[in-house]
Amino acid sequence: MTSPRDGLQDLELSNGYRMGEFCVILKERFWRNYLDTESNGRMAFAELCQVTKDMGRAKNVKGMWLKELDHAATDFFSKTEPGLAAMTEMDLFRDFIVSAFGSTLQVWNYLHMDTSRTGMLLPPDFEDACKTIGFQGNTGYVYQCLNTDLWKNCVARRDFDPEKHPEPQEDRAATAPGKLHSSQSLPDIRPKTSPHQPRTTKAADEILKTSLQQIKMRRAIEEKHRKANVGMKSLGELKTLLVARYGNLFSAWRQALDLDGNGRLSFGEFCLAMRDLGYTGNSKAAWHALDSDNDGFIQLDDLDPETEHMVTSYRDAATDKFGNMLASWTDMCKDGNGVIDKATFAAHCKHLNWTGNVGLLYASLKNDRTRKHMSLRDYDTPAHMAFLRGDYEMITESKVEVSTDFLERNSNSFRQRWNRAQATSQIAAREESAFNDRKKDKASNDIESLRELLLKKYGTLTSAWRFAFEESENGKVYFVQFCNAMRCLGYAGNIKKCFHDLDKDDKGHLLLEDLDAESADIIKSFRKLLLKKYGSYIKAWAALDYNKSNSLDVDELVTVCKYIGYKHDAKTLFRCLVEFPGKQSISMGDLDPAAMRAYYRGDLEAMSPQEKGAAARKKKEEEMLMARKSMMGADDLNSLKMELMRKFRTMTAGWRFGLDIECNGKLSYVDFAKACRGMGFIGNIKGCWKELDDDDSGLITFNELDPDWYDKISSFSEKLLDKYTSYESAWKKIDADKSRAISAEEFVEVCADIGYEGTKKECRQLFKQLLSPQETTMKEKDLQYGGIVTMAVNRGFRMTMKDSDLLSKDDQAKLELKRRATVAQMEKSKVLGAKDMQSLKKELVRKYGSITAAWRYGLDPAQNGKIGLVDFGKACRNVAFVGDVNACFKEMDDDDSGVITFNELDATWFERLSSFQECLLGKYKTYQSAWNAIDTDKSNTIGCEELVEVCAEIGYPGSAAEVRLLFKQIIKDQSQKFVAFEDLQFGGVLVKTVTGLKTADFDDDLLTQDEKGAALRQKRATIAAEELDKVMGANDWPSLKKEMIKKFGTLTAAWRFGLDVASNGKMGLVDFSKACRNMGFVGDIKTCFSQLDDDNSGIITFNEIDSECNKQLTAFHQQILDKFDTYKIAWQVIDENGNNELDEDEFLQICKANAIQGNPRYLFRQHLKKGMSQITFADLSGVGDIVKDTRRAALRHSSTLLPAE
């Protein structure tokens, strides 16, 4: 309610009364009649405004409220406000009348007041009467207080005391219920004393005594009636009565209160309900107590919130599940008897996943407590009414939101919805009638009867599929084939409908699972298991048919299924595979007819399209699984660091390319969060940030991520700039060969030159830290990034990129002008092209990277080793040569032979290539033999450092630096990092043309024709045998050994992951047999086991599998444990970068640093898993477990103890 002190305009009284006089009259005359109509003892400003408006007062109401009434500023005033203290005169008049005459009745009847017997007193008559009875007060005030009717200027008998002078019956009837008449007043309950009490006569005493007795008698009767009234008088008693009469409040709500079922009560409905229930209390007070939200209605939520929540939650669950309450009842009352019991209702609630009090809900819904069953009327009244109307979708009880679209509004009208519902019902009735008619028809006319017919004719549905439907054996039946088959079977129904009923997913063809899903699943799972275990049906049949009888009976199939781990019933599988009932065995054709035909035509790798697709899908799923595993994000700081190491190989590269993308050496929180999310980080980014930001600067730098490597990088950067002053000068000095890249050895020399404190090993580690991922050589930007990282932390570090940064502004301007002139001259020379032999060579080197590559791809693309004038002219034009081609050709053709060879183009590099070719062929005779000897890791490539080792081995006279330059001449282009076989061959072509050097590309070139023919036949036989072994599987130990190497990469990995899966270090015949079968071994397992078991101990170890490998591995691990005691300590030492992986280069450096004897490349491959390029701690310790028994035996032999592992 708005306070009367907020924004009301001042008003003034329009009659002649003073403010105090009006307040006096206002209190007595209208307090109970018009002001305090609710009898709450107080009045608000809005109520006062309404009263003054009804009285015809329209001015200064706010002033009267603020000055005379609401002194306490409470926004209310009561009868006892100080502003109404002027009513004392009226109180004194009433005390005088009661004291002198006993009651107002006495003073009026005995003509003390109404002397003229007119029933009313005018103002002069009233003043005379007051003088007569001896009242000395202000008669004018008293008269105005008694004059309750503003429109007449007189006082009647009932104005004196309405309780003792009641109004006529017709007046009471005219008075509205709940509103008092204007002549009514409150009874006087104050003490009957007055300071002006006059002396009384004897007659007055008798009248007073009689009046007092009558009052006492009346009060006694009223008290007796009050005690006799035991009806409901409060809200609590009302609820108690409702529960006692109806069982619960919800039943009482539906049966006694909400009779129309609309879910709410108006005040009139509430009063009628209270009257019917016999409520004798204050109905209006009860209404206001229940209507807490003052919306003018009472709902079940106001009466019992818990019950309302329970019923509403159940109805929501039922509506969400079934659409409406009638559908929910229909689902519950499936037997059609129209009632349900408590158990059925409980099962229904469980089906809905409703977790409330089922018993209480059932009792609340059931109106009659004496019944044990609940009817639809009890369950939901609107649903019952809709059911009686035949409205099974409850359209008449549902409300649709009105749409602004005409078509949608028209479509959702009641008439349209009702017509659609009736049409749906009629269609369902017709379909039911047609179904009953078809059911009476005994001919096969639907899917179920078709299945019965097929079972009766063929015994099984799989046999019926093979012989009745599947013509092409591709597993599919199209509509035309289906129609032909159905006509042959005598099908009398709708063939098209039957086809579409079977083809539920609209494939356009039928599969076995459409006809018999269970049998199809059994056969499919069996075939899938065979493909997974053996690779093809032909191999699988070879393993299943262990007695080579070309058939399997039911007992043999049961045994085989148990052996291979088939989970379904083997006998059911036999019935699904057998050709027809009564046949006692199955063949390969029953397993897969296509495989049988492929076997007879020699196609041993046959696989049906379905199995090929399954295999392809499985492979794709495995690849996706591996991809998801590789994408699993980190979830804390340590795992984030590990993820950076795994992805970028070093912590510095992880900071540079994973976090500090903009390469400014520092990172804000926003950039850090973006980088973490980009790497798939799934943890608390804010927590990681706070953990890294040690100084709470709002930025993180590399020293906060990895302090150790920051110290090393900053130390290197400071010493580098101390010596060379700028990175430009440093790079010019370091990159002496102008290759724009430096290797690890060159970096070690740089560290020694600038005085960096660290061993060669530490320098190589620093080199790896500064490298970009997947790079093996350092670029200038890699070197500069160390200064960026240092400058972000050390503000005193001055980073100078170019020499010009050290010059003054004038010198820088001069240098810039000189640079622009040089660039312009270079651009001009590029446009004009070469014009003599020297500029032609420079252009060739610029375009192809090296003079050898220029000869190979620019001059001699046919690779003849020599070129004539015509070819030379074409090559010159291709490089935009603008000089005299003939003169340039003659300048190169020293011997005037008419052709140019490589030695005439560049004699120096020809001599070096010639020397290399002679040394290479002098040792290995042919390029094939040389390549087989050089390419030890079988990668078909040779790196730069490998070429250095090769040159040292063949006796090439050049230094290591010269060999690296030779490497750049041999490769195709400078972006290539490896030498291929054809690169070696081309060097021979260059030399052979000039020197006549005899070269042979392949070993067969050195053989005679007869020897070549014999070698070719032997090669073909070997290939055929290998292909047969691939198809049929291994059948002896040598072929099994090859199969294991092909599958696992090495025999060590084959022992770890194929044979000794339990990691016992040994295995018996049973475990060996399982492993052989898993690898498709089709030979005699016992014979193979006996060949391996040299000591006839009944078990085989890895030493018996590969004794030479076991010997080298034993020596290697013995050295590791002698040096580090345990594998855990050894791994902590050798895993220097902490990425939990070792690549081949790191392994070779570790072996070299720790003086490990043996072939390190061979040992590294023995620890690898197939498909991996790094080894882990599990690989190191796992191979150690293989050779553990051999080491223990050696230690026992030498009487030493084995260290703890």
Side-chain angles (χ1 to χ4, degrees):
M1 181 181 294
T2 304
S3 173
R5 302 182 184 275
D6 297 334
L8 292 177
Q9 302 297 328
D10 291 339
L11 303 173
E12 295 181 359
L13 296 173
S14 59
N15 58 7
Y17 291 113
R18 296 193 308 272
M19 186 67 71
E21 295 174 351
F22 177 73
C23 292
V24 169
I25 299 169
L26 183 66
K27 177 179 178 183
E28 183 63 26
R29 186 175 293 170
F30 299 109
W31 176 259
R32 286 188 305 110
N33 301 346
Y34 293 102
L35 303 185
D36 190 18
T37 57
E38 296 183 359
S39 301
N40 55 12
R42 62 181 186 176
M43 183 178 183
F45 178 72
E47 297 172 336
L48 177 65
C49 292
Q50 184 63 38
V51 170
T52 55
K53 183 178 180 181
D54 295 340
M55 292 169 58
R57 272 56 171 183
K59 294 184 179 180
N60 205 16
V61 178
K62 182 179 179 182
M64 178 182 66
W65 175 272
L66 298 177
K67 295 178 181 179
E68 301 294 338
L69 299 177
D70 188 17
H71 292 277
T74 59
D75 295 340
F76 294 96
F77 83 93
S78 60
K79 188 177 179 181
T80 60
E81 288 286 340
L84 301 181
M87 275 305 298
T88 306
E89 293 294 335
M90 186 63 197
D91 297 337
L92 293 176
F93 176 74
R94 186 179 286 110
D95 293 340
F96 175 78
I97 293 298
V98 173
S99 300
F101 301 100
S103 67
T104 56
L105 180 64
Q106 299 295 330
V107 73
W108 185 275
N109 288 339
Y110 287 93
L111 305 178
H112 294 291
M113 300 299 289
D114 186 16
T115 56
S116 61
R117 297 182 180 271
T118 60
M120 60 183 66
L121 291 176
L122 298 175
D125 298 333
F126 183 76
E127 292 181 3
D128 295 340
C130 288
K131 291 179 181 179
T132 303
I133 62 176
F135 178 67
Q136 302 296 327
N138 190 337
T139 57
Y141 275 25
V142 174
Y143 182 83
Q144 292 297 334
C145 291
L146 291 176
N147 184 14
T148 58
D149 193 346
L150 297 177
W151 310 111
K152 66 177 183 177
N153 193 16
C154 63
V155 174
R157 181 178 64 175
R158 62 188 178 194
D159 296 330
F160 269 65
D161 196 339
E163 293 182 358
K164 296 182 175 60
H165 305 279
E167 58 189 9
Q169 185 67 27
E170 58 274 10
D171 294 339
R172 289 198 300 270
T175 303
K179 186 173 181 180
L180 298 175
H181 192 270
S182 61
S183 62
Q184 295 179 1
S185 63
L186 295 172
D188 185 18
I189 58 174
R190 295 180 302 162
K192 307 297 189 293
T193 59
S194 174
H196 306 288
Q197 181 176 359
R199 297 176 61 183
T200 59
T201 61
K202 183 175 181 181
D205 292 338
E206 291 296 332
I207 294 172
L208 178 61
K209 183 176 180 180
T210 304
S211 299
L212 294 174
Q213 290 177 353
Q214 292 175 354
I215 293 171
K216 185 176 181 181
M217 184 180 301
R218 186 177 71 252
R219 290 179 178 176
I221 294 172
E222 290 176 355
E223 181 67 20
K224 182 178 180 181
H225 289 170
R226 187 183 63 79
K227 290 182 179 181
N229 185 7
V230 295
M232 298 176 289
K233 303 180 184 63
S234 65
L235 189 60
E237 293 177 355
L238 173 63
K239 291 183 179 181
T240 303
L241 175 65
L242 291 175
V243 172
R245 182 176 298 180
Y246 298 100
N248 53 72
L249 289 177
F250 184 67
S251 297
W253 171 264
R254 294 201 299 175
Q255 298 180 61
L257 300 178
D258 186 21
L259 300 179
D260 58 357
N262 62 354
R264 63 182 186 177
L265 289 178
S266 64
F267 181 72
E269 292 174 327
F270 179 76
C271 293
L272 292 175
M274 294 298 100
R275 181 182 300 170
D276 294 340
L277 291 171
Y279 184 74
T280 59
N282 190 338
S283 299
K284 190 173 184 180
W287 167 267
H288 286 295
L290 290 175
D291 187 16
S292 57
D293 52 0
N294 294 323
D295 61 348
F297 293 97
I298 295 177
Q299 300 174 348
L300 179 60
D301 187 21
D302 299 324
L303 183 65
D304 190 352
E306 296 180 359
T307 302
E308 193 274 340
H309 174 70
M310 175 182 66
V311 174
T312 302
S313 63
Y314 168 76
R315 286 178 174 171
D316 292 342
T319 305
D320 293 341
K321 181 76 174 177
F322 299 103
N324 56 66
M325 298 299 290
L326 182 56
S328 175
W329 172 266
T330 305
D331 180 77
M332 192 169 22
C333 185
K334 295 180 180 179
D335 53 3
N337 58 4
V339 293
I340 59 170
D341 56 8
K342 186 176 181 180
T344 305
F345 185 72
H348 169 72
C349 292
K350 185 176 181 181
H351 177 62
L352 290 178
N353 295 325
W354 187 75
T355 57
N357 191 336
V358 178
L360 179 60
L361 178 61
Y362 182 79
S364 300
L365 293 175
K366 186 166 59 67
N367 288 335
D368 190 353
R369 291 182 294 173
T370 61
R371 285 190 283 107
K372 294 184 179 180
H373 297 85
M374 179 171 60
S375 64
L376 176 58
R377 187 183 186 87
D378 301 333
Y379 181 69
D380 189 73
T381 303
H384 174 69
M385 301 304 295
F387 178 77
L388 295 178
R389 288 190 292 267
D391 181 13
Y392 301 109
E393 296 183 6
M394 296 187 68
I395 296 175
T396 56
E397 299 293 340
S398 62
K399 296 181 179 180
V400 179
E401 296 182 0
V402 179
S403 174
T404 57
D405 183 75
F406 172 76
L407 296 177
E408 184 177 353
R409 185 170 65 252
N410 188 41
S411 176
N412 290 332
S413 64
F414 174 76
R415 182 182 184 86
Q416 293 293 335
R417 290 187 291 124
W418 179 260
N419 290 340
R420 286 197 297 268
Q422 293 298 313
T424 303
S425 176
Q426 293 172 5
I427 292 172
R430 287 199 301 269
E431 290 179 351
E432 183 179 1
S433 176
F435 174 77
N436 294 331
D437 294 339
R438 288 194 302 270
K439 195 172 182 181
K440 296 176 182 179
D441 188 3
K442 299 301 182 182
S444 176
N445 54 10
D446 58 5
I447 296 177
E448 295 301 326
S449 59
L450 174 63
R451 289 194 176 102
E452 293 177 2
L453 175 63
L454 294 175
L455 288 173
K456 188 181 297 183
K457 187 172 183 178
Y458 294 98
T460 62
L461 292 177
T462 53
S463 179
W465 174 264
R466 292 173 60 184
F467 295 102
F469 295 106
E470 189 180 22
E471 297 178 358
S472 59
E473 296 181 352
N474 61 355
K476 301 178 182 179
V477 174
Y478 294 93
F479 181 68
V480 176
Q481 299 171 266
F482 183 76
C483 291
N484 295 333
M486 298 296 275
R487 294 307 179 202
C488 293
L489 290 170
Y491 184 76
N494 189 336
I495 297 178
K496 187 174 183 180
K497 183 178 182 303
C498 182
F499 182 85
H500 287 295
D501 290 342
L502 290 172
D503 184 19
K504 296 179 181 179
D505 49 359
D506 294 331
K507 303 183 296 296
H509 59 268
L510 298 181
L511 302 175
L512 177 58
E513 49 262 32
D514 297 326
L515 184 64
D516 189 355
E518 182 179 359
S519 299
D521 181 62
I522 292 173
I523 296 174
K524 185 177 181 180
S525 60
F526 180 68
R527 289 178 173 176
K528 185 176 180 181
L529 179 62
L530 294 180
L531 289 178
K532 178 181 179 182
K533 199 170 185 66
Y534 300 105
S536 68
Y537 294 125
I538 297 177
K539 292 182 181 179
W541 182 258
L544 298 179
D545 186 21
Y546 55 87
N547 56 7
K548 307 303 178 185
S549 63
N550 291 327
S551 63
L552 289 176
D553 58 20
V554 62
D555 295 329
E556 289 175 336
L557 184 63
V558 170
T559 304
V560 166
C561 289
K562 184 177 180 181
Y563 175 74
I564 65 177
Y566 182 67
K567 297 181 180 180
H568 292 284
D569 185 20
K571 293 183 178 180
T572 304
L573 174 64
F574 182 84
R575 289 194 296 271
C576 293
L577 292 176
V578 72
E579 189 174 6
F580 53 83
K583 189 177 179 181
Q584 301 299 319
S585 63
I586 61 174
S587 62
M588 188 193 300
D590 299 324
L591 181 62
D592 189 73
M596 185 72 175
R597 291 194 299 272
Y599 176 76
Y600 282 120
R601 67 173 179 265
D603 183 12
L604 302 182
E605 280 292 344
M607 185 182 294
S608 66
Q610 290 82 3
E611 282 75 21
K612 288 181 181 178
R617 286 193 301 272
K618 180 183 176 183
K619 183 178 179 181
K620 187 175 181 180
E621 289 173 358
E622 291 176 352
E623 291 175 353
M624 293 176 63
L625 180 62
M626 293 296 294
R628 283 196 299 271
K629 288 182 178 180
S630 65
M631 292 173 63
M632 290 297 289
D635 57 358
D636 57 9
L637 181 58
N638 292 330
S639 58
L640 176 61
K641 290 182 178 180
M642 293 178 64
E643 181 67 15
L644 289 172
M645 294 283 292
R646 184 193 68 79
K647 190 172 183 179
F648 300 101
R649 302 190 66 178
T650 63
M651 189 60 70
T652 309
W655 169 267
R656 179 180 173 186
F657 297 99
L659 299 177
D660 185 21
I661 308 298
E662 297 181 357
C663 294
N664 52 17
K666 51 191 174 183
L667 207 61
S668 66
Y669 175 73
V670 175
D671 296 332
F672 178 75
K674 289 180 181 179
C676 290
R677 292 305 182 203
M679 290 188 294
F681 184 75
I682 58 177
N684 186 351
I685 296 179
K686 194 171 184 180
C688 286
W689 170 266
K690 291 182 178 179
E691 191 173 352
L692 285 173
D693 190 13
D694 299 331
D695 53 359
D696 293 331
S697 62
L699 297 172
I700 58 173
T701 51
F702 183 64
N703 67 315
E704 294 173 312
L705 182 67
D706 195 329
D708 296 336
W709 276 116
Y710 168 76
D711 294 339
K712 295 177 182 179
I713 292 173
S714 62
S715 175
F716 170 79
S717 300
E718 291 172 357
K719 291 184 179 297
L720 184 70
L721 290 183
D722 288 343
K723 185 172 180 64
Y724 298 108
T725 66
S726 70
Y727 280 103
E728 183 180 3
S729 299
W731 186 255
K732 288 179 181 179
K733 181 66 177 178
I734 294 171
D735 187 21
D737 57 357
K738 307 302 180 183
S739 62
R740 300 180 182 178
I742 58 174
S743 63
E745 298 303 325
E746 291 175 322
F747 184 79
V748 172
E749 296 175 2
V750 170
C751 292
D753 185 38
I754 65 176
Y756 177 73
E757 297 177 358
T759 62
K760 290 184 178 182
K761 180 179 179 180
E762 292 175 348
C763 292
R764 292 190 185 95
Q765 293 174 354
L766 179 61
F767 176 79
K768 289 185 177 180
Q769 289 291 324
L770 293 175
L771 284 182
S772 300
Q774 310 302 328
E775 293 289 341
T776 57
T777 57
M778 183 183 294
K779 307 297 186 296
E780 184 178 2
K781 60 182 180 181
D782 301 328
L783 194 67
Q784 293 173 351
Y785 189 73
I788 294 174
V789 169
T790 305
M791 187 173 62
V793 180
N794 185 3
R795 299 296 177 85
F797 176 76
R798 184 179 178 184
M799 180 180 175
T800 306
M801 290 292 186
K802 298 181 180 181
D803 295 336
S804 60
D805 295 340
L806 301 173
L807 302 177
S808 63
K809 293 184 178 180
D810 294 339
D811 293 337
Q812 288 181 3
K814 293 178 182 179
L815 187 62
E816 178 65 18
L817 291 174
K818 184 178 178 180
R819 186 192 65 81
R820 290 180 180 179
T822 304
V823 171
Q825 183 64 30
M826 292 177 63
E827 292 295 330
K828 183 177 180 181
S829 62
K830 288 181 181 179
V831 173
L832 294 177
K835 57 184 178 180
D836 55 11
M837 186 179 70
Q838 296 301 326
S839 60
L840 176 62
K841 287 183 179 181
K842 290 181 181 180
E843 183 65 20
L844 289 172
V845 173
R846 185 192 67 80
K847 185 173 183 179
Y848 296 101
S850 66
I851 195 66
T852 310
W855 175 271
R856 183 176 179 181
Y857 297 104
L859 299 177
D860 185 22
Q863 298 187 4
N864 297 320
K866 54 188 177 181
I867 57 174
L869 177 60
V870 176
D871 295 331
F872 181 75
K874 291 180 181 179
C876 289
R877 296 306 178 202
N878 290 334
V879 294
F881 183 73
V882 295
D884 190 345
V885 176
N886 291 330
C888 187
F889 184 81
K890 288 181 180 181
E891 187 178 356
M892 288 187 183
D893 187 13
D894 297 333
D895 54 358
D896 295 330
S897 60
V899 293
I900 297 176
T901 54
F902 183 68
N903 65 314
E904 294 173 316
L905 180 65
D906 195 316
T908 302
W909 276 115
F910 174 79
E911 292 296 333
R912 293 181 182 180
L913 287 172
S914 177
S915 176
F916 173 73
Q917 295 292 330
E918 290 173 358
C919 293
L920 185 68
L921 294 178
K923 184 173 179 64
Y924 297 109
K925 307 299 182 184
T926 65
Y927 287 110
Q928 183 182 5
S929 299
W931 186 261
N932 292 335
I934 294 171
D935 186 21
T936 55
D937 56 357
K938 306 303 179 185
S939 62
N940 291 325
T941 57
I942 298 175
C944 182
E945 298 303 322
E946 289 179 307
L947 185 63
V948 172
E949 296 177 2
V950 169
C951 289
E953 186 177 353
I954 64 177
Y956 179 71
S959 63
E962 292 177 350
V963 174
R964 293 188 183 97
L965 295 176
L966 177 65
F967 175 83
K968 294 182 179 180
Q969 291 293 326
I970 295 176
I971 58 178
K972 296 178 181 179
D973 56 74
Q974 297 304 309
S975 63
Q976 186 174 338
K977 304 299 181 183
F978 301 99
V979 172
F981 178 70
E982 58 268 19
D983 299 330
L984 288 183
Q985 289 178 305
F986 183 72
V989 173
L990 292 179
V991 176
K992 179 174 64 174
T993 306
V994 180
T995 63
L997 177 68
K998 294 183 178 180
T999 61
D1001 292 338
F1002 302 100
D1003 296 338
D1004 293 345
D1005 295 342
L1006 302 177
L1007 302 177
T1008 63
Q1009 292 297 329
D1010 295 338
E1011 291 173 339
K1012 289 182 179 179
L1016 182 59
R1017 288 192 295 273
Q1018 180 65 30
K1019 183 178 179 180
R1020 290 176 177 174
T1022 303
I1023 293 174
E1026 291 177 353
E1027 292 296 329
L1028 183 62
D1029 290 342
K1030 289 180 182 178
V1031 176
M1032 296 302 297
N1035 54 11
D1036 55 7
W1037 167 238
S1039 58
L1040 178 60
K1041 187 175 181 180
K1042 291 180 181 179
E1043 183 68 21
M1044 288 192 297
I1045 293 174
K1046 181 182 72 172
K1047 186 173 183 179
F1048 298 100
T1050 62
L1051 287 177
T1052 309
W1055 176 267
R1056 289 175 61 192
F1057 304 107
L1059 297 177
D1060 186 22
V1061 181
S1063 300
N1064 297 322
K1066 54 189 177 181
M1067 59 189 311
L1069 177 60
V1070 177
D1071 296 331
F1072 183 75
S1073 300
K1074 291 181 180 179
C1076 290
R1077 292 306 183 200
N1078 289 335
M1079 287 184 284
F1081 185 74
V1082 295
D1084 191 340
I1085 296 177
K1086 289 185 177 180
T1087 302
C1088 186
F1089 186 84
S1090 300
Q1091 291 176 359
L1092 293 174
D1093 188 15
D1094 299 332
D1095 53 1
N1096 295 323
S1097 60
I1099 57 175
I1100 57 175
T1101 60
F1102 181 67
N1103 186 44
E1104 294 170 316
I1105 296 291
D1106 193 340
S1107 58
E1108 182 61 28
C1109 179
N1110 183 75
K1111 181 179 179 180
Q1112 294 191 39
L1113 289 174
T1114 301
F1116 170 76
H1117 282 270
Q1118 189 61 50
Q1119 293 177 75
I1120 291 293
L1121 292 176
D1122 289 343
K1123 190 172 184 64
F1124 300 104
D1125 291 339
T1126 65
Y1127 288 119
K1128 186 174 182 180
I1129 297 175
W1131 186 261
Q1132 292 175 352
V1133 174
I1134 63 180
D1135 185 22
E1136 298 173 350
N1137 55 12
N1139 63 350
N1140 293 325
E1141 293 177 344
L1142 288 179
D1143 58 18
E1144 186 172 3
D1145 293 337
E1146 292 175 328
F1147 188 83
L1148 295 179
Q1149 292 177 7
I1150 290 166
C1151 292
K1152 185 177 180 180
N1154 293 279
I1156 302 295
Q1157 298 179 0
N1159 187 343
R1161 296 185 186 276
Y1162 175 80
L1163 292 172
F1164 179 78
R1165 287 196 297 272
Q1166 293 300 320
H1167 287 80
L1168 272 181
K1169 298 177 184 176
K1170 187 176 181 181
M1172 302 297 291
S1173 59
Q1174 297 92 14
I1175 63 174
T1176 62
F1177 174 74
D1179 299 327
L1180 183 66
S1181 59
V1183 176
D1185 291 337
I1186 295 177
V1187 299
K1188 180 169 58 177
D1189 292 338
T1190 307
R1191 289 190 293 103
R1192 286 179 175 173
L1195 289 171
R1196 284 196 300 268
H1197 182 71
S1198 60
S1199 301
T1200 59
L1201 296 176
L1202 184 68
E1205 299 182 15

